[in-house]
Amino acid sequence: MAAGPGATSDTGPAAGAGEEAGEHVKPFTPEKAKEIIMSLEQPAVFCNMVFDWPAQHWTAEHLSEVLPGKRIRFRMGLKSTDTAPQFETACSYAEATLEEFLTWNCGQPHISGPFRDYDHSKFWAYADYKYFVNLFEDKTDIFQDVMWSDFGFPGRNGRESTLWIGSLGAHTPCHLDSYGCNLVFQVQGRKRWHLFPPEDTPFLYPTRIPYEESSVFSKVNVVNPDLKRFPQFRKARRHMVTLSPGQVLFVPRHWWHYVESIDPVTVSVNSWIELEEDHQARVEEAITRTLVCALKTAEDPHNTRAWLNPTEVEETSHEVNCRYLNGAVSAFFDHYRTSKVIEMQALRTNGEELNVHNHMEVGQTGRQNLTLETVKQEAASPFGPDLVPVIQSPEEAPSERGGIFESDGKDFVGKDGEHFGKLHNTKRQRRMSRSENAIVEQVASHGTTAPSQTLISTDDLLDCLVNPQTHCQARVQMAVAGKALISNKETLSIHLKNKQHKQEKFQDSCVNEAATVALSASSA
């Protein structure tokens, strides 16, 4: 188990705040851990939370014994220094057992088997994105070795997790996940994470090709960027952390990340935690999927592998995608109606409680206010040796500095907009203006170097799906169309006129947008 920053082992004085009488006590209760996860807007590393998980012993060697003869698909990539990202569509693949992988990874020359065509000095191997339910299909008891319930998610275990096994140099191209937030448990070896905040999306040059439903990729190789082609990347704020065994990284929603293995063998386990925003995101992704598949299939109906990520194995026909879209819209409306009922019940209950509290004695009110202030102070900064924030890295190239983290534990951002430590609200405001200005600057920078005749490709057209400026304009158009649509629906019109809470306003706008999109898809 890895200790906190500056510690050398899990038995020393700095092994964590939860060590009493020779026994480990976890620094956060499940309730507190979940509270932190649901409030943080920046990545952070949990320490001393998984020392009793059976999965901490899941080395590649151990897993090869648990899965004897089990053939796993490895993605094979080149150990190159090219400035272009090495997307999954450009990689080759090998079906092999973990035992064969370990033999190849020793670097022995002239080996036989599935890795015989891959020189270990030139290639890396990555068994990525392996769902437990598929990998351990006849060994379901092993699901209990992963205990996400310690982070406040009761019943969540290996069944909702994926496994990642890689060799030195194995990496995932820079991307953001469309759904949820991410918890990553490092089991064996170290991985270096390069992370960028959602506000920096324009500087990452997002693209939907290769297409994967749950991912938006960056055109930039963030570890070796082509700054002539992508000059705005200079403005991206890199946050970097080296994740060691026994640590759990929290990645908030829509944070970009590039992940690379920096040890001979790495093993990780992760789980994506569902969020409220996912309901609308699924509608947006269904729209994107329908458009991408329609345009790219029309362009070249016989070569889907060139643009469709290997993780996408479902049908891409327009009929199937339209059914998927309609299903996502229906699910969104169902969730909206259900959440409305729950919200109204909560408002009714809160109103009754408010009436009771209004009749409290002055002395009781004073004591209550004091208690609330104490709670606020205690919740202000959860950081310490057992929870380390990942902060912006210096501009120099990545380096192996003495500590575990490329961060100093002084920075916390809450979802309520309150900043603790070094960051202030003015910085958040500057981030937003930087993003808005980035579009104009990108156009200007491209305009000075563009050839006299420019052909707009299908991929260029699809990039509009993730262009922030285009997205904002589309939202305005949808809002106008949606307003006209809703005016013909008496019940929703009354509901809109009587909005009283910010949450209601947000959800209503989502309904307008989803309804407009559904009608547009139907007419198409």
Side-chain angles (χ1 to χ4, degrees), residues 16 23 46-47 59 104 125 130 177 262 329 346 368 393 435 505 513:
E23 294 183 1
F46 287 89
C47 301
T59 63
W104 170 81
K130 305 305 177 189
D177 297 321
I262 60 173
V329 172
Q368 183 189 37
S393 303
S435 298
K505 292 180 181 179
E513 185 171 330

Side-chain angles (χ1 to χ4, degrees), residues 77-79 86 123-126 166-172 258-264 266:
L78 284 168
K79 296 178 179 178
Q86 198 165 168
F123 285 87
W124 48 258
Y126 206 5
S167 63
L168 179 65
H171 65 268
T172 305
Y258 172 100
V259 190
E260 56 181 336
S261 298
I262 60 173
D263 278 330
T266 61

Side-chain angles (χ1 to χ4, degrees), residues 64-129:
S64 69
E65 297 173 0
V66 174
L67 298 168
K70 178 77 173 183
R71 304 198 77 76
I72 300 172
R73 194 184 198 201
F74 286 85
R75 177 159 58 95
M76 308 302 298
L78 284 168
K79 296 178 179 178
S80 65
T81 56
D82 194 358
T83 56
Q86 198 165 168
F87 290 126
E88 295 172 48
T89 48
C91 293
S92 53
Y93 292 84
E95 301 280 340
T97 66
L98 285 175
E99 186 177 5
E100 289 171 327
F101 162 73
L102 291 171
T103 301
W104 170 81
N105 201 42
C106 292
Q108 299 178 4
H110 311 301
I111 66 168
S112 59
F115 292 107
R116 61 183 176 275
D117 296 327
Y118 301 100
D119 186 337
H120 184 265
S121 65
K122 297 178 181 179
F123 285 87
W124 48 258
Y126 206 5
D128 53 354
Y129 222 115

Side-chain angles (χ1 to χ4, degrees), residues 2 26-27 30 49 57 78 88 97 115 129 148 188 249 257 270 332 343 345 390 413 424 462-463 483 486 494 523-524:
K26 298 191 177 182
M49 286 290 289
H57 304 297
L78 284 168
E88 295 172 48
T97 66
F115 292 107
Y129 222 115
W148 297 116
Q188 180 182 6
L249 174 66
H257 47 284
N270 89 295
F332 176 83
E343 182 182 351
Q345 290 175 344
V390 182
V413 186
H424 305 282
L462 290 172
D463 284 345
K483 188 174 181 181
I486 295 299
I494 294 173
S523 61

Side-chain angles (χ1 to χ4, degrees), residues 483-501:
K483 188 174 181 181
L485 172 69
I486 295 299
S487 65
N488 295 324
K489 298 184 178 181
E490 183 177 357
T491 55
L492 287 180
S493 178
I494 294 173
H495 183 65
L496 286 172
K497 291 177 182 177
N498 291 283
K499 291 185 294 184
Q500 297 178 352
H501 303 281

Side-chain angles (χ1 to χ4, degrees), residues 220-251:
V220 184
N221 179 351
V222 300
V223 295
N224 189 29
D226 183 346
L227 295 177
K228 289 185 178 180
R229 186 180 178 191
F230 306 113
Q232 294 297 312
F233 180 69
R234 290 187 178 93
K235 300 180 181 180
R237 292 158 295 167
R238 188 190 308 264
H239 296 58
M240 198 159 60
V241 62
T242 299
L243 197 64
S244 297
Q247 297 168 349
V248 174
L249 174 66
F250 164 65
V251 182

